[in-house]
Amino acid sequence: MVPTWRLRAAFARRLSEMYGTEVPAYTTLLAVTGQINDEVARRDEDAGRLGGIDRVTAERHGAIRVGTPYELRQVAQIFAAFGMHPVGFYDLRDGGAGAVPVVSTAFRPTDPKELERNPFRVFTSLLTPTDRRFFDAELSARLTTFLARRTLFPPELLTLAERAETGRGLPAESAARFVQLAVAAFALSPEPVDRGWYTELERISAVAADIGGVAATHINHLTPRVLDIDALYRRMGEHGITMIDRIQGPPRWDGPDVLLRQTSFRALAEPRAFREPDGSVTEGTLRVRFGEVEARGIALTRAGRARYDALTAETDQRSDDGDGASRQRTARALWEAGFPRTERQLAAEQLAFFTYRPAPGHPRDGRRPPAGLTELVDQGWLTADPVVYEDFLPRSAAGIFRSNLTGDGVHDTDRTGTPFDAQRLAEAIGRPVLDPFVLYAAQQDSSLRRALHTIGAHEALASLDSGG
Ligand code: OOG
Ligand code: NI
């Protein structure tokens, strides 16, 4: 029997191998990422603070895009077999010039032990063909008809996925078949692309064309995790790969790494077959896929996230159209003035999530533990370990989409969009969409209760129960 997590690890590994054969720059990215991770692991004794080197080396996220709730439900079934569940809701339709007609979630493991085994996650976007800001009634109808006619996932794949979900794994032979079919479902299709239809959609949005202009789906990018993204950014330049002009997310600074920093490069144009309006098939190219890399930091609480959003808004205001470097300087100055410089302070102000355990050699001489969490840590009763941010940032996601487009497309902001939220997305998927903050808080809370219980900190436990 191959358990869920081994299926997931095999899926991530095989997708990565496939994407490497499809997008050569991805292979360069992996090589450089591996070098940098080794260097950081050798020079920095805290390198494993946000995940062991084994986890980080295997760690990837992917991005895919589907067209209909039906397709989304099927893909959710496939991911469920790999122990990946929808977490978080991202609406990318309101991002000004770079707005794209999709709403998204991320499929990922939710249990801390499962994350440790293999944290593979896939950012999954659903096209919104009925959104009148992008598609008029006539085009919307044709798009919906086109999408309803295609089949993305073969029945055998879906049946195996159901069996794997219910059985929490598969016997070796079906496991191999299942992973093979799942990987194949995300390979670039050799089917000719209908030139007229693709171009019509592309005028509105390159993302709409990538999703609804073709008869299959494919992985859009696969992203490794790097321990020093600034070093990676420089080194990719030395390898002749031009990155976008900035690293998205928090600035580089001396304080704790939080949330997510990402950067990307556009992949080369890929050869694709086209069916021309006269029926002939020609060779052409499309440039829709790309490379991305990310560094992960500590998960922030809602209050911490609000602080992050405020600092980002202020950075925007003060840097106007400044280049990447001047924006970095502005951001760093604002962070130095407005964000806690230490993990201890992040925990004390409840701006980030930590798990707690009894400190090795915590006092056992009959002394009574103090009631406050900060005192418990400061006085050597408890050890706090930061929780890794496992999710995405809507603004960076919008930036990633945008860096990937040839033009901004057109949309009419005066029209009202189709209302969409996590609840509606959950109905479309037919499975709950989990709230990331709730998951992190539960992880922190259960570790804290266990630790307090072990050290006999009854006062602290009581104050947890009274919500203090
Ligand atoms: C997804 C873009 C979002 C990220 O890392 O924020 C994303 C896409 O381009 O389909 O992958
Ligand atoms: Ni991504």
Side-chain angles (χ1 to χ4, degrees), residues 3-240:
T4 305
W5 83 266
R6 284 199 186 279
L7 292 176
R8 180 169 67 255
F11 180 47
R13 197 172 52 240
R14 297 278 302 280
L15 266 180
S16 184
E17 284 160 15
M18 179 188 80
Y19 197 60
T21 64
E22 293 182 339
V23 178
Y26 171 73
T27 307
T28 311
L29 177 66
L30 286 190
V32 177
T33 300
Q35 277 166 15
I36 288 180
N37 287 349
D38 286 346
E39 286 165 22
V40 176
R42 253 180 279 128
R43 77 162 182 246
D44 180 357
E45 58 188 35
D46 276 345
R49 185 137 182 85
L50 289 163
I53 191 75
D54 289 347
R55 171 188 151 150
V56 171
T57 304
E59 188 159 348
R60 300 279 186 280
H61 87 245
I64 60 154
R65 305 156 172 188
V66 296
T68 64
Y70 180 71
E71 292 172 357
L72 185 61
R73 270 198 296 281
Q74 295 188 323
V75 94
Q77 172 63 75
I78 296 165
F79 290 145
F82 292 117
M84 298 156 70
H85 313 287
V87 180
F89 173 75
Y90 306 84
D91 194 337
L92 283 312
R93 300 172 301 163
D94 299 320
V100 278
V102 299
V103 292
S104 314
T105 186
F107 288 85
R108 67 165 175 87
T110 55
D111 183 296
K113 280 196 213 74
E114 288 293 311
L115 285 160
E116 186 55 40
R117 285 172 165 152
N118 187 294
F120 189 46
R121 40 179 106 66
V122 178
F123 192 92
T124 302
S125 300
L126 170 67
L127 186 68
T128 53
T130 58
D131 197 306
R132 287 286 174 269
R133 291 171 295 186
F134 298 89
F135 309 99
D136 64 31
E138 191 267 335
L139 181 57
S140 166
R142 278 191 290 138
L143 185 48
T144 308
T145 308
F146 178 90
L147 291 167
R149 283 206 189 118
R150 71 181 188 181
T151 303
L152 298 186
F153 307 107
E156 187 190 356
L157 171 59
L158 295 166
T159 308
L160 284 169
E162 275 170 45
R163 273 177 47 205
E165 184 186 12
T166 335
R168 297 188 188 178
L170 284 173
E173 208 164 296
S174 345
R177 177 77 183 147
F178 173 55
V179 173
Q180 182 201 344
L181 288 172
V183 171
F186 298 106
L188 202 61
S189 160
E191 272 299 297
V193 176
D194 183 323
R195 172 91 69 189
W197 177 230
Y198 193 93
T199 313
E200 186 178 0
L201 289 173
E202 202 180 21
R203 270 198 290 275
I204 292 172
S205 153
V207 174
D210 183 47
I211 303 173
V214 293
T217 188
H218 46 254
I219 189 121
N220 174 270
H221 62 269
L222 212 51
T223 301
R225 180 170 161 195
V226 72
L227 294 172
D228 184 345
I229 197 169
D230 303 274
L232 180 120
Y233 188 93
R234 286 189 300 270
R235 210 164 298 170
M236 287 299 280
E238 292 159 18
H239 280 80

Side-chain angles (χ1 to χ4, degrees), residues 61 63 65 123 125 220-221 262 290 292 392 396-397 400-401 404:
H61 87 245
R65 305 156 172 188
F123 192 92
S125 300
N220 174 270
H221 62 269
Q262 301 177 308
F290 71 119
E292 183 193 38
F392 294 86
S396 307
I400 298 297
F401 268 111
N404 199 9

